[in-house]
Structure formats: C-alpha cells, structure tokens
Amino acid sequence: MSNKIKGSEILMRALIDQGVDKVFGYPGGQIMPVYDSLYDYSDRIQHFLARHEQGAIHAAEGYARACGKTGVVIATSGPGAMNLITGLNDALMDSTPIVAITGQVPSSLLGKDAFQESDVVSVTLPVTKWAFQVRNVEEIAPALAKAFYIANSGRPGPVVLDISKDAQVGMASYESASCNFIRSYDPDPDIDDGILQEAAKLINSAERPMILAGHGITISKAEKQLIDIAEKADIPVACTMLGLSSIPTGHRLNKGMLGMHGNLGPNINTNKADVILAIGMRFDDRVTGDTAKYAPQAKIIHIDIDSSEFDKTVKSEIHIHGNAKTALSRLLPLIVENRHESWNDSFTRHEKVEDERVKKCEIHPNNPDGRMHMGEVVNRVSKEFGDNAILVTDVGQNQMFSVRYFGFTSPRSCISSGGLGTMGFGLPASIGAKIAVPQRDVVLFSGDGGIQMTIQELGMIMEYDIDVKIVILNNNFLGNVRQWQELFFNSRYSATPMVNPDFIALARAYGIDGEDVSHRDNLDEAIRRMKEHKGAYILNVNIEEMGMIFPMTPGGHGVDEILLNSTEYYKPV
C-alpha cells in the first residue's frame, strides 16, 4: 500500500511540524489544492478568512508582533499574490517574521501568460528576506523548513514560497524536514569580548550617557537586560516608536519617545549626550532629523543583528554585531554602578516644559464647546485599561497621538506600522494581535481615513467574534497630510477633507456594537461601556477638525529644532 500523499497535504504536515496552528488567507484557483487539504486539517490548523489579501497579511503581522511567532498567510496566484506586496514590504521594514504561501499556475504554463499568472518571485524579492518557487512536490517540506528558519532568525522578516499547482497535487512520501544552517547565512554572530570591553569603557566613563531602545529589544526579548543596564549605570532611556513598550512608561529612567513627534527631553539631549548606546534601531530619518546635525558630541555604540545598519546613516564609534539580548547580557557585568543625577534632571526640566506647553493642551484642552482632542481621548482610554492593553495603531495623527499618550506596562504592547507607514494596517493587525494573545485587551486607534482602507475586515471580526476595541479618531480629514498642508503649503487643503459614512451604522451591519461620541462630557462613560462590553466595540469619536500634533521636528531640521506650535520653536531650558 502506497504511503504517498499530495503535496498540499505535505504542506499541512510541514506547517504542523513548525508549530503552526493559525493561518490567515484567501482562497483562489491556483491555491485550491492547499485549501482542500486544509479542510481535512481544520482541527489542527485554524484558518481565518480575511476579506482581502492585504488584510490577511496585516493580520499575520499583528499576530507575529503580539506573540513573537512567525505569522503565516496564504493566497492564490496573480492578483492574490500581488495584494500581499504592501504587507510584505511593511513586514520587511519592521522586521516581522512572515511566511507567505502563494499558489502558482502549473509549471508547464510558467512564462506563458496563463490566467492569473504573475512572476511572484521577481516581484517579491526586493521586499522579502527570501523568495522561492516550488515546482516539485519533493521540495515542499524542505523549502518550508528553510522559510521558517530564515523568517524568524537573525533579523526577522518576510519570506515567500510560491508553489506551482502541479507541486500541490503531485504525490510523494512525507519526510519531516528541519533547517538550522544555511551556508553564508549567519543569523547569530559571535560577539567579540574585546568589543564589549571597549563599549563598557566608553559607557563607564561617560558623563552624559543615553540609551536609544529600538524594536530589536522586543524582537530579542531583551527587556530585562535593557532595564538592568539602565538601572545599574543610571542611564536615561529614550525609545523609538516600535521600542516604546520595551520599558514601562512609568519607569523613572524612561524619558519617552525619540523623533519627529517625540518628547522634548530625548530629542534635545540627543545632541548633548557624550555617549549613546543604540540598541536594535536603525537611525531612521524620522528619529535623526538632519544627520549632519545629529548627536555631534556623542560617541555612538551601535548594537544590531544586521551589520548592514552600521554606519548606514549615522557613524558609530563601536559596532556590536549580534543579538541584543546576548550583547546586553554580556555587557552588564562590565558596567560599573553609577549615578547621573544632574543629567537625568535635564530630561526632567524639558519634561516640565512639555507638560505645561504641550501635554496640558493635548490631554486637558479647554474647548468650551466640548470638542475633544486626540490626546485626551487616547489618555483616557489608556487609563481605563490600566495602561496594560496592547495598543495597535493605524497611521497618521492618530498614530502619533496614540504612541505619545498610551501607557505601557508589559512588553509587546505597541504594534504599529513604523518603517513603511501603511494606512490600513491597524484594523487587520489588531485582529491578528487578539488572535495571538486572546487573554490580553487589544485597543485599536485609527483615523477616519485609515480605517476605510481595510474596513472590510470588520467581516473577519464578525465571523470569528474577535474582541477588539476600536476607537476611530474622526476629524473628517486626512489629518497628518492636512497638518503638513497647513504648515508648509499655505493651508491649501488639497484632497484631504473627507466625507465619511456613518461608521456605527456600518459596524452594526457587521453585527458589531458601538456608539458616536461628540462631546467631552460623554467620553468617560462611553469608554467604560466599550471596556465592559463582551465582544468587539467601536467608538466613533468626533474630535476637533483642525487639531495638530506637537512637538514636531520639521523635515530637514536638526532633531533639537522643535516646533511647539505652528510658529514657535522650543528654546531649551
């Protein structure tokens, strides 16, 4: 009796061997054999049907970011595969482990412009760590093992397996495959002791040291090591947007967020620091501003798993090429106990100014007509959830206000599209996050523009009863673009005003409860109802239309050249 099985079933068994029990996707003609086999494995692999392939891959990203496992997305050939491109690029820029499995026309039809044929490998190579076309059934299991190894080792990222239909229906014996080595690929490089000693010497002698905590802290699970080093040497910590939940918001050494809309203290003191320890971050232009003016007094120690990041945009004194958790663990015993009271006090002075000049206006605005500000909505929601929910954001003003005013007490609590800035990311990513960690509250903040880019994924919430709390910060504008138009384009609001649907009526069409909030006096009770509601809930909060997000370092300026409002630059204290 033959023990051969179809390639599509081999794929199911290989996924199970990789520990996969949840996948996101959308079926179609050239991936149909895989979906047919998935039917027989539905008790072991749960499939979540998105309403669009972009929604499926963003959900897989949210899943991966929330729990650290590799997200899996399945799509058909041609348009199905092409609809994954934005998500693949997003995952690459934010170092998110994804395995995307796409169907392909039979190998005999490749290159003949067959129905729904696309050159998936050529198209996806620039936005993936690896893309490979499987044309033979015997290649499926080893290719999948290699895909998972590449996706979630070293600097994580997306991988594509494009499987021809004849490979899916071909017959072969299943042999479990594993992969833990690829020639010329070193995902966990050894760290030289001498380099660590040099770094420790710089840190120990510093008078104004500063830690920049990036997404690599979360990816490598180095939160404890980060805090241990910061506390031992009394070093202030500033975070990139994706590094925000790597240290609790209330920790005395957490000085806030870096970058264009970051906090005053971190941005001003970046250019006063004498030593900067940058961990798992890539010196993005939104963090550095004009690199010619960036950190002129600092000797920079850069820890990163990806050596291509060294000196790419900012020159560093010392490169530590390796896993952040390993590097910090080995660096910790070399660091001497220290105190930097006056240096930490300088952050506090800037924070007091920000509290008075910016935060007071954004969290406690004095609008007599009861119109709300994005900052106060975010702050009140965060407090209602005890600063312990997973924050998922879309992109735009809603994103910047959310990450500024949402509190974090646990790791892996800040999920946003950082590098690519993908509008429409938020809703499906929040669904994936809740599926990954159902025991945690998940709160999504989105603008009225971003929510409509993937609003069809309310269907996924409806079908699978996903308990996500959704707050639409609705100002009837594409707010971030409008802000730039006001500041830099003479208030010529070209294509940014929006005419929106009735979001609550739309939600109810999907069986989701919610309510409109138009006055500050009604906000707290509405938030409480949302929190206590069993199941998904939408608050459509009608905020002031012309709100602005400050502080702001305009493009092309130094990181310490900061607007407090539309006309006033900050004068450091």
Side-chain angles (χ1 to χ4, degrees):
M1 185 175 180
S2 173
N3 62 351
K4 291 185 177 182
I5 57 176
K6 288 182 179 180
S8 55
E9 185 176 353
I10 288 174
L11 180 65
M12 295 300 109
R13 294 193 184 185
L15 286 169
I16 291 168
D17 283 348
Q18 292 295 331
V20 174
D21 59 3
K22 293 176 177 62
V23 299
F24 304 85
Y26 203 96
Q30 304 301 341
I31 197 69
M32 207 172 294
V34 167
Y35 273 86
D36 185 64
S37 291
L38 186 61
Y39 188 88
D40 293 327
Y41 282 80
S42 58
D43 59 333
R44 302 180 68 180
I45 300 176
Q46 186 177 9
H47 178 272
F48 294 89
L49 176 66
R51 272 44 180 178
H52 189 284
E53 291 87 355
Q54 184 179 352
I57 192 167
H58 289 328
E61 286 185 272
Y63 174 90
R65 294 271 292 275
C67 69
K69 294 175 65 176
T70 301
V72 178
V73 60
I74 304 174
T76 193
S77 63
M82 295 301 103
N83 283 339
L84 299 178
I85 301 301
T86 299
L88 291 170
N89 197 2
D90 192 273
L92 184 70
M93 294 198 70
D94 286 350
S95 304
T96 305
I98 296 291
V99 169
I101 298 166
T102 58
Q104 185 54 275
V105 300
S107 53
S108 61
L109 296 178
L110 288 169
K112 297 181 179 179
D113 293 331
F115 178 66
Q116 291 194 332
E117 180 192 1
S118 294
D119 188 349
V120 173
V121 171
S122 295
V123 172
T124 60
L125 273 174
V127 292
T128 56
K129 284 184 75 176
W130 184 56
F132 180 71
Q133 189 171 79
V134 176
R135 302 185 186 185
N136 190 299
V137 62
E138 284 83 6
E139 295 177 316
I140 291 176
L144 191 78
K146 185 176 180 180
F148 272 83
Y149 177 61
I150 292 173
N152 211 353
S153 60
R155 180 177 182 171
V159 168
V160 167
L161 284 186
D162 188 47
I163 308 177
S164 68
K165 196 166 189 179
D166 48 323
Q168 296 174 46
V169 300
M171 304 293 288
S173 299
Y174 177 63
E175 295 182 12
S176 181
S178 63
C179 180
N180 54 25
F181 173 78
I182 298 172
R183 189 176 63 184
S184 75
Y185 175 59
D186 185 8
D188 190 16
D190 292 331
I191 302 172
D192 181 74
D193 284 334
I195 296 293
L196 292 171
Q197 289 169 1
E198 288 180 33
K201 185 177 179 180
L202 269 184
I203 294 168
N204 292 336
S205 63
E207 295 181 0
R208 299 180 305 281
M210 189 171 170
I211 293 174
L212 310 186
H215 193 198
I217 297 288
T218 297
I219 293 169
S220 63
K221 301 179 176 67
E223 292 89 356
K224 181 180 185 301
Q225 290 72 20
L226 165 69
I227 294 171
D228 286 346
I229 282 184
E231 290 180 343
K232 187 174 184 180
D234 197 35
I235 303 175
V237 178
C239 300
T240 66
M241 184 178 72
L242 297 188
L244 279 171
S245 64
S246 60
I247 180 170
T249 302
H251 193 287
R252 67 178 183 86
L253 291 171
N254 185 351
K255 306 303 181 182
M257 187 174 74
L258 297 157
M260 177 174 282
H261 292 293
N263 297 104
L264 293 177
N267 285 340
I268 294 294
N269 284 328
T270 291
N271 282 8
K272 294 182 179 180
D274 59 358
V275 172
I276 289 177
L277 176 60
I279 310 165
M281 51 91 70
R282 57 189 177 85
F283 292 103
D284 176 74
D285 60 287
R286 288 296 176 99
V287 165
T288 65
D290 182 358
T291 54
K293 301 177 181 179
Y294 184 78
Q297 302 182 51
K299 294 182 177 179
I300 296 175
I301 304 162
H302 192 180
I303 300 175
D304 208 285
I305 195 69
D306 184 355
S307 61
S308 71
E309 294 297 344
F310 297 139
D311 296 337
K312 186 171 76 175
T313 57
V314 172
K315 296 290 183 182
S316 49
E317 188 84 4
I318 295 174
H319 307 149
I320 301 177
H321 182 206
N323 176 278
K325 184 174 183 177
T326 302
L328 294 180
S329 297
R330 290 174 56 187
L331 189 60
L332 179 62
L334 305 176
I335 300 297
V336 299
E337 292 188 15
N338 211 330
R339 285 293 173 265
H340 297 100
E341 289 93 344
S342 61
W343 175 231
N344 275 291
D345 286 346
S346 71
F347 286 84
T348 303
R349 289 195 298 274
H350 296 301
E351 184 179 354
K352 287 180 178 178
V353 174
E354 189 168 352
D355 285 346
E356 288 299 316
R357 299 292 303 277
V358 179
K359 290 183 182 178
K360 183 178 179 180
C361 297
E362 293 182 346
I363 298 179
H364 304 290
N366 186 26
N367 298 331
D369 59 0
R371 289 179 304 150
M372 291 163 285
H373 193 282
M374 287 191 186
E376 67 174 312
V377 178
V378 173
N379 182 256
R380 293 193 193 191
V381 171
S382 184
K383 294 296 181 272
E384 182 65 30
F385 282 84
D387 293 340
N388 196 37
I390 293 177
L391 167 70
V392 183
T393 85
D394 209 84
V395 168
Q397 284 184 325
N398 67 89
Q399 177 186 41
M400 293 296 101
F401 277 112
S402 297
V403 296
R404 277 179 58 83
Y405 294 121
F406 205 85
F408 304 105
T409 56
S410 303
R412 292 193 179 275
S413 295
C414 182
I415 299 175
S416 189
S417 175
L420 196 61
T422 305
M423 289 181 69
F425 171 86
L427 178 57
S430 68
I431 294 168
K434 185 64 179 180
I435 289 168
V437 281
Q439 72 278 11
R440 293 194 65 187
D441 291 315
V442 175
V443 177
L444 165 68
F445 285 92
S446 182
D448 44 309
I451 194 77
Q452 293 184 76
M453 287 197 168
T454 52
I455 200 165
Q456 72 280 347
E457 301 312 332
L458 292 175
M460 198 167 12
I461 290 177
M462 174 182 64
E463 181 168 353
Y464 303 105
D465 193 21
I466 309 296
D467 184 7
V468 176
K469 310 306 184 187
I470 300 167
V471 182
I472 301 173
L473 298 171
N474 188 348
N475 57 7
N476 299 297
F477 267 103
L478 297 176
N480 210 40
V481 183
R482 184 208 55 77
Q483 175 165 334
W484 281 64
Q485 288 172 334
E486 180 171 329
L487 292 174
F488 310 119
F489 293 88
N490 299 314
S491 297
R492 291 158 58 89
Y493 302 131
S494 175
T496 49
M498 297 195 75
V499 177
N500 290 316
D502 182 336
F503 288 111
I504 301 307
L506 191 58
R508 286 175 179 152
Y510 283 96
I512 300 170
D513 283 333
E515 60 186 292
D516 288 301
V517 185
S518 298
H519 196 286
R520 174 176 293 109
D521 292 346
N522 303 321
L523 180 60
D524 287 341
E525 284 301 317
I527 293 171
R528 193 166 296 117
R529 283 190 292 272
M530 176 179 71
K531 183 177 186 297
E532 294 174 354
H533 181 77
K534 301 300 182 185
Y537 201 87
I538 293 180
L539 287 187
N540 177 53
V541 184
N542 296 294
I543 57 167
E544 55 181 342
E545 287 193 345
M546 308 303 282
M548 306 280 273
I549 173 71
F550 292 108
M552 178 181 183
T553 299
H557 285 61
V559 71
D560 58 354
E561 298 170 349
I562 303 169
L563 281 168
L564 286 177
N565 52 50
S566 298
T567 59
E568 179 188 5
Y569 278 90
Y570 178 53
K571 295 179 175 61
V573 293

